[in-house]
Amino acid sequence: MSVDLLYRPRRLRLTPALRAMVRETLVQPSQLVYPMFIEEGISEQQPISSMPGIFRYPEKSMDKAVKEARDAGISSLLLFGVSHHKDETGSDSLKPDGLLARMVKRAKDTAPDMTIISDNCFCEYTSHGHCGVIGTDGHVHNDHTLENLALQAYICAQAGADMVAPSAMMDGQIAAIRQRLDAEGYTHTPIMAYASKFASGLYGPFRAAAGCDLKGDRFTYQMDPANAREAQTEAALDEAEGADILMVKPGMFYLDILARLREQTNLPLAAYQVSGEYSMMSYAFQKGVLDEKRVVMESMTALRRAGADIILTYFAPRVARWLKE
Ligand SMILES: [Zn+2]
């Protein structure tokens, strides 16, 4: 090939304007969901030692935290409760006046224009830290948990949740929730399915954040990190059961799963950049090993490029601010 005929990709990299013109992947604040921890019975916000810069906010003054997120440019929140009323079944989350319902209502009242998403699971509300009811065989009982999940999602919709997001990884959970919501008149409430949630070591910092006292592991219900075809099956099941958005969790180690699902489905996809991803990067930023803004934005771009329409991330307020600058 003569040099004159050589295609030169560098020609389109010469100036910032040219690079922007041909940029394939963009990140916008509207695509971000900010996960927030709300604790009952405390008066001061508590720093989470495993997640630098992240706090548990007191239920009493959660309005302030919600407004701060909104002012940063965030339009969607995912709420996690830190419960002081745990029991074997997580019954507090099934009450219309329990922490889960109260915080959803309060967030919605504070910021009616925001999308308030409830994380629907039991691990934050059970004394054993598992994602459902324990059966006589010592494992989480799938179908009993389904009934509870359907009730919990209904309680959240009633409290004002704009979207429910079941994360328990029980078989049939999307169908159970869809049926209950529809029967109660919440046909308009979308479900964001934690469709392929892997049993990952990257959730460690979250457990400290959410005050989860898990004994054992979640290998009997969350997915084996080794399985990609099974992730496609999980996503297909959730779509068939009526999910509106399919999520992959964690994010950065699972970009291949996002890319596969992008080929498989036309539904919107979400990626959850989890606590361990946040903490790994945060400690590197603290040490001056990595440049915070540059690396966080690169991670956002990577998740989007792999196929995520929506990104759940603890960096959300920072990303929204940087995008505004
Ligand atoms: Zn759970």
Side-chain angles (χ1 to χ4, degrees):
M1 193 190 314
S2 106
V3 168
D4 292 340
L5 293 175
L6 189 65
Y7 178 67
R8 296 174 183 271
R10 287 186 59 187
R11 281 194 285 254
L12 294 178
R13 295 179 198 146
L14 200 60
T15 68
L18 276 170
R19 293 194 293 275
M21 178 194 265
V22 298
R23 188 159 296 134
E24 299 173 30
T25 306
L26 299 176
V27 180
Q28 293 177 349
S30 59
Q31 299 159 335
L32 303 173
V33 178
Y34 184 37
M36 272 176 63
F37 301 101
I38 307 294
E39 181 163 0
E40 61 185 341
I42 60 168
S43 48
E44 299 289 325
Q45 66 178 47
Q46 309 283 329
I48 297 165
S49 60
S50 55
M51 300 176 70
I54 302 296
F55 296 86
R56 297 173 174 192
Y57 296 103
E59 183 193 1
K60 282 178 227 159
S61 54
M62 64 176 279
D63 319 33
K64 190 168 156 275
V66 169
K67 284 180 191 156
E68 274 172 15
R70 186 183 58 190
D71 294 345
I74 298 298
S75 52
S76 304
L77 297 176
L78 176 69
L79 299 178
F80 291 97
V82 183
S83 173
H84 292 192
H85 294 89
K86 298 186 182 191
D87 60 18
E88 283 289 305
T89 56
S91 65
D92 187 63
S93 70
L94 300 174
K95 295 174 184 160
D97 60 349
L99 173 62
L100 177 54
R102 294 197 309 268
M103 67 185 184
V104 165
K105 182 170 188 329
R106 190 135 184 190
K108 196 63 205 167
D109 288 348
T110 303
D113 50 329
M114 291 180 92
T115 300
I116 305 302
I117 309 170
S118 58
D119 178 84
N120 290 104
C121 197
F122 292 95
C123 43
E124 302 136 69
Y125 304 96
T126 51
S127 45
H128 44 71
H130 277 289
C131 299
V133 187
I134 306 291
T136 48
D137 60 357
H139 294 303
V140 174
H141 194 290
N142 195 86
D143 295 10
H144 287 176
T145 303
L146 287 186
E147 285 172 38
N148 291 352
L149 270 172
L151 172 59
Q152 193 198 72
Y154 162 53
I155 297 275
C156 288
Q158 204 176 32
D162 297 291
M163 185 183 293
V164 298
S167 60
M169 285 301 279
M170 295 300 119
D171 296 335
Q173 63 184 12
I174 303 303
I177 289 171
R178 185 73 273 160
Q179 278 166 17
R180 181 74 192 249
L181 289 178
D182 290 356
E184 303 285 356
Y186 291 93
T187 52
H188 55 282
T189 303
I191 303 175
M192 176 161 63
Y194 285 69
S196 39
K197 180 177 181 181
F198 291 89
S200 171
L202 294 168
Y203 306 145
F206 174 93
R207 298 218 177 118
C212 172
D213 318 306
L214 178 68
K215 294 157 194 85
D217 57 58
R218 303 192 204 282
F219 293 124
T220 67
Y221 44 105
Q222 294 181 353
M223 283 191 53
D224 185 336
N227 294 358
R229 296 194 308 268
E230 188 190 349
Q232 293 183 273
T233 302
E234 283 279 8
L237 285 168
D238 283 2
E239 181 164 1
E241 289 176 29
D244 299 279
I245 296 171
L246 301 172
M247 190 204 295
V248 174
K249 181 183 181 182
M252 287 148 60
F253 287 6
Y254 296 85
L255 296 182
D256 60 319
I257 308 295
L258 277 169
R260 280 184 184 230
L261 295 188
R262 184 68 293 158
E263 295 292 313
Q264 173 175 316
T265 179
N266 289 322
L267 288 182
L269 291 179
Y272 198 142
Q273 186 179 56
V274 303
S275 59
E277 300 175 69
Y278 174 87
S279 297
M280 278 195 286
M281 289 194 276
S282 295
Y283 287 118
F285 304 147
Q286 279 187 354
K287 290 278 182 196
V289 176
L290 295 174
D291 179 85
E292 181 181 21
K293 181 177 173 183
R294 188 166 170 188
V295 170
V296 170
M297 289 312 297
E298 190 173 331
S299 75
M300 296 295 112
T301 302
L303 292 162
R304 293 268 300 122
R305 191 193 62 233
D309 302 287
I310 300 156
I311 300 172
L312 299 93
T313 176
Y314 301 97
F315 291 116
R318 269 169 268 180
V319 172
R321 276 198 204 92
W322 293 330
L323 290 170
K324 257 197 290 190
E325 280 166 12

